[in-house]
Amino acid sequence: MKKLFRPSFAFLLMGSLTFAASSCGGSDDPKPIVEEQELITTVQLNLVPNGKGQNVTATFRDPDGVGGAAPTVDALNLAPNTTYTGAIVLLDESKTPAVDQTAEVSNESDEHEFFYEPSSGLKLTVQKTDLDKNNRPIGLQTTFTTTTTSSGTLRVTLKHQPNLKGATSDITKGETDVQVDFPVVIQ
């Protein structure tokens, strides 16, 4: 009677080990870390003049994303010889209600930085005035300074730079979350 159980037990044991070995193989493989990028469909620049003058708002909107209907973009109409305090708002309007992406960028500010590039001939300078926890610029808050009348474009680029943002990071590092060219008229 004991001899009948031994081969059966051995088969059962081998089957269990084979099953355990094959089922464990896949779980040891590391799963790739997928970091979901922010979807930004709307970029709004809000400028308040220091002293007299009108508040200025310009909005880029592409609610169906890249490849769909053409985006709309407002011109920035600025006064000469004026300094503005600026703030940028980012939205995902593909969802209802729209999702405010500004807070997410602010929460991950050590991985994000805006870059503001006036075209040549445009008499505008933009200075980033906010800092992340490592005292590096973010660009959600800015100062816009105009001099004489001129026109051109202002390119606004948000870079996502996880483990890349540093004292020497620039617009060439990281992935572009959004890039917008705002027409600018200073008169």
Side-chain angles (χ1 to χ4, degrees):
M1 190 80 175
K2 286 184 179 178
K3 288 186 179 181
L4 286 176
F5 282 108
R6 285 188 184 159
S8 299
F9 182 71
F11 270 113
L12 182 64
L13 184 59
M14 286 178 52
S16 297
L17 290 175
T18 303
F19 175 74
S22 66
S23 66
C24 290
S27 65
D28 290 341
D29 295 335
K31 293 183 180 178
I33 297 171
V34 177
E35 189 168 324
E36 200 170 308
Q37 273 195 299
E38 303 82 17
L39 178 59
I40 298 169
T41 63
T42 304
V43 178
Q44 185 175 64
L45 291 175
N46 297 309
L47 305 179
V48 177
N50 298 345
K52 290 197 283 185
Q54 302 257 331
N55 293 355
V56 177
T57 298
T59 304
F60 164 88
R61 183 171 279 126
D62 190 8
D64 61 358
V66 176
T72 60
V73 61
D74 300 332
L76 269 174
N77 295 304
L78 304 175
N81 302 310
T82 304
T83 300
Y84 297 85
T85 298
I88 194 165
V89 175
L90 308 171
L91 300 173
D92 175 3
E93 292 187 311
S94 70
K95 297 180 175 73
T96 304
V99 177
D100 184 353
Q101 297 288 19
T102 315
E104 184 169 335
V105 171
S106 179
N107 289 339
E108 297 175 357
S109 59
D110 60 328
E111 297 179 355
H112 289 90
E113 185 171 352
F114 284 91
F115 294 90
Y116 297 86
E117 301 172 285
S119 61
S120 69
L122 183 61
K123 306 298 183 190
L124 171 69
T125 58
V126 180
Q127 175 119 18
K128 298 173 236 181
T129 58
D130 51 351
L131 301 172
D132 67 17
K133 66 183 180 186
N134 300 314
N135 289 325
R136 297 191 176 113
I138 306 166
L140 287 167
Q141 307 295 320
T142 51
T143 298
F144 281 49
T145 305
T146 64
T147 55
T148 57
T149 59
S150 60
S151 63
T153 59
L154 174 66
R155 175 166 286 175
V156 179
T157 305
L158 174 61
K159 298 297 283 195
H160 190 189
Q161 303 173 321
N163 301 319
L164 297 172
K165 186 175 177 183
T168 59
S169 66
D170 58 27
I171 196 168
T172 64
K173 294 189 170 87
E175 293 182 28
T176 300
D177 280 343
V178 69
Q179 187 172 68
V180 178
D181 289 336
F182 285 96
V184 181
V185 177
I186 301 172
Q187 61 181 5

